[in-house]
Amino acid sequence: MSSSITVSLIFFLLSLGSTSSLPSKRSGYVQNACSVTHYQNLCVQSLAPFSSVAKNSPSKWARAGVSVAISDNKDVLRSLLRMRRSAFGKRDRVALSDCRELLQDSLDNLHKSLAVLRTLRAGEFQEQMSDLATWLSTALTDKDTCLDGFEKTSVKSAMVRMIRRRVTTSMYMSSISLALLNKLAANGL
């Protein structure tokens, strides 16, 4: 009787060992993908859900990075659009208006990028990589320009600090997307 319990316990423990390697393998995928980025912790945290699908595919990681950047950009833009302009001083209102426009432009570039990443072709790969690098760089620059607009505004304003924080994180997500694209460009299809 006790030997059957021992055998059952051994099989149970072995089964735990084999399943526990799955999360570490998935973690390895995302760690490897994010190793090329400047914001590795944010990258790993944001892209970990894609590990089981993307595995070691640079094109899938690039798509995942852009998809997450789109989602984050939409969230930030949505929150900026909900803010009442009357709650800001004149200089902050101008910066807010400019930032909304810049984030919309950034979102448009991210959407164009995702569309191309979904239809990569070997014969057009270099041209596609060039277009993608341009659009993702522009998305990053748009967010940086948005932050510049708030540089000389009310530092004391909690809303301005929140905008800066959210746009900065969104800028980091665009940077991650660009780094993943560069990895794809270096590795090829």
Side-chain angles (χ1 to χ4, degrees):
M1 180 84 168
S2 68
S3 66
S4 67
I5 293 174
T6 304
V7 170
S8 297
L9 182 60
I10 289 172
F11 280 119
F12 174 73
L13 291 174
L14 287 173
S15 72
L16 286 178
S18 65
T19 58
S20 65
S21 68
L22 285 176
S24 66
K25 193 170 191 175
R26 287 185 190 145
S27 174
Y29 291 141
V30 72
Q31 290 284 345
N32 181 44
C34 292
S35 67
V36 298
T37 68
H38 291 292
Y39 309 102
Q40 291 182 14
N41 290 339
L42 178 61
C43 180
V44 168
Q45 178 186 5
S46 303
L47 298 182
F50 296 91
S51 290
S52 61
V53 174
K55 296 183 180 169
N56 286 320
S57 169
S59 64
K60 289 180 181 176
W61 282 115
R63 280 196 310 263
V66 172
S67 294
V68 171
I70 286 171
S71 179
D72 186 69
N73 197 125
K74 280 182 181 177
D75 288 345
V76 175
L77 182 57
R78 206 174 294 126
S79 73
L80 293 183
L81 291 171
R82 281 193 298 255
M83 292 181 177
R84 290 191 352 258
R85 288 175 40 97
S86 61
F88 292 89
K90 182 179 180 182
R91 190 178 296 222
D92 292 338
R93 277 196 304 270
V94 171
L96 177 64
S97 179
D98 289 346
C99 194
R100 287 172 175 168
E101 186 177 324
L102 288 161
L103 285 177
Q104 183 59 58
D105 184 55
S106 175
L107 186 59
D108 293 343
N109 281 302
L110 290 168
H111 277 293
K112 281 193 291 191
S113 299
L114 186 59
V116 169
L117 284 167
R118 289 179 173 153
T119 60
L120 292 175
R121 291 182 195 85
E124 300 173 24
F125 187 71
Q126 292 306 320
E127 184 180 339
Q128 289 174 318
M129 290 299 105
S130 178
D131 290 343
L132 287 163
T134 298
W135 297 329
L136 291 178
S137 295
T138 302
L140 184 60
T141 302
D142 285 338
K143 292 170 186 173
D144 192 40
T145 303
C146 165
L147 289 173
D148 288 347
F150 285 102
E151 202 168 86
K152 295 178 182 175
T153 63
S154 310
V155 177
K156 299 171 187 157
S157 166
M159 286 213 287
V160 169
R161 285 193 308 271
M162 185 272 301
I163 291 169
R164 286 181 183 159
R165 188 175 56 252
R166 301 271 322 266
V167 173
T168 298
T169 301
S170 190
M171 188 172 71
Y172 293 166
M173 293 307 306
S174 291
S175 173
I176 289 167
S177 298
L178 185 57
L180 293 172
L181 174 75
N182 289 334
K183 184 175 185 176
L184 169 60
N187 291 339
L189 283 175

